[in-house]
């Protein structure tokens, strides 16, 4: 899987607002690469897996939250590639009744079924994940491993994300992508043409990601970080967003996630409505996957007796 060059297809979206503004909107279906190692998770892991093999490592170690798409993607990618995997997960309480945790969390359950060993740690210790002394402690406990950062973003991840766009995508005026750590948009920026405008839709509050992206990307000529569609912050949502996801699924038969791609698509259509995306344009939206994370959000919605995301 990781030695192949995987190219994904673009699917055209037909909605009244697009017709009214004479806009062609296409979505790149990175989400169909694999059920769990999909979208930007596959792109970010590809060259890291190959590098770990080159270095003769036997174990992959990474960090994430309880519903992290990256955690489960690393577990599955590790199994597919013959690695042991270790997930350092935020929330020491999750390890107190491990069987109950697995029964209530499909992300961790699937990761576990794919051979991942968990290290559940406190939020205080989790904040030390970048410290050399903390990594040294983990190596003393688990032996040598190949370290993949939280979210998977590093130079090799950016290299993988540079492969998302194809020559046929040079026809688009706008490229739109969700932003979490800045790795995916950096890879895209590195390969876009000067005439193409890149919109990155932040899933987090604030504009601090601008600095991160400026450190990671080598081509920063024509782009903008859009910070108006985070719906309250990372992993936050509103009834308006949930309604939008369900209506978009009904109209297009494409499922979006509520953390990244749903917020991005909401933002794209709103920019079209506000004429910030010019009439007559060709727009490409990147579907970066993350669908498995819907289960965690639906559990929260169910507890509040609110409408669920229809899958």
């Amino acid at each position: 899987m990781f030695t192949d060059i995987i190219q994904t297809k673009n699917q055209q979206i037909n909605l009244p607002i697009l017709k009214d503004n004479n806009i062609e909107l296409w979505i790149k279906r990175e989400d169909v690469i694999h059920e769990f190692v999909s979208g930007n998770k596959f792109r970010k892991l590809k060259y890291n897996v190959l590098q770990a093999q080159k270095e003769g490592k036997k174990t992959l170690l990474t960090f994430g939250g309880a519903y992290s798409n990256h955690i489960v993607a690393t577990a599955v990618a590790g199994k597919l590639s013959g690695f042991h995997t270790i997930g350092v997960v935020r929330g020491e309480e999750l390890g107190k009744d491990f069987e109950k945790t697995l029964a209530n969390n499909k992300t961790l359950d699937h990761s576990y079924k794919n051979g991942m060993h968990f290290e559940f740690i406190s939020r205080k210790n989790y904040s030390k994940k970048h410290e050399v002394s903390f990594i040294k402690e983990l190596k003393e406990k688990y032996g040598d491993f190949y370290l993949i950062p939280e979210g998977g973003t590093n130079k090799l991840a950016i290299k993988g994300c540079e492969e998302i766009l194809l020559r046929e995508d040079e026809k688009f005026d706008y490229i739109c992508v969700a932003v979490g750590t800045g790795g995916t948009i950096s890879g895209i920026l590195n390969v876009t043409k000067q005439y193409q405008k890149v919109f990155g839709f932040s899933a987090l509050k604030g504009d601090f990601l601008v600095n991160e992206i400026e450190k990671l990307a080598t081509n920063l000529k024509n782009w903008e970080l859009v910070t108006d569609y985070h719906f309250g912050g990372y992993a936050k949502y509103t009834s308006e967003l949930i309604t939008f996801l369900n209506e978009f699924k009904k109209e297009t038969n494409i499922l979006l996630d509520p953390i990244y791609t749903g917020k991005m698509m909401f933002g794209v259509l709103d920019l079209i409505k506000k004429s910030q995306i010019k009439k007559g344009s060709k727009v490409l939206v990147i579907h970066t996957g993350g669908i498995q994370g819907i289960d965690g959000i639906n559990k929260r919605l169910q507890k509040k007796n609110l409408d669920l995301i229809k899958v």
Side-chain angles (χ1 to χ4, degrees), residues 183-198:
T184 306
I185 190 174
S186 295
I188 286 171
L189 284 169
N190 288 350
V191 297
T192 50
K193 301 299 179 182
Q194 192 168 357
Y195 57 83
Q196 294 180 304
K197 174 71 177 281
V198 178

Side-chain angles (χ1 to χ4, degrees), residues 155 158-159 161-162 165 183-193 198 213 216-220:
K155 288 183 178 180
I158 293 168
K159 180 181 177 182
C161 290
E162 290 173 359
L165 295 182
T184 306
I185 190 174
S186 295
I188 286 171
L189 284 169
N190 288 350
V191 297
T192 50
K193 301 299 179 182
V198 178
I213 294 164
L216 296 169
T218 57
N219 174 20
L220 293 163

Side-chain angles (χ1 to χ4, degrees), residues 277-294:
I277 290 177
K278 296 177 183 177
K279 290 185 178 182
S281 299
K282 291 181 173 64
V283 182
L284 179 65
V285 174
I286 313 299
H287 194 320
T288 49
I291 297 305
Q292 68 87 27
I294 290 174

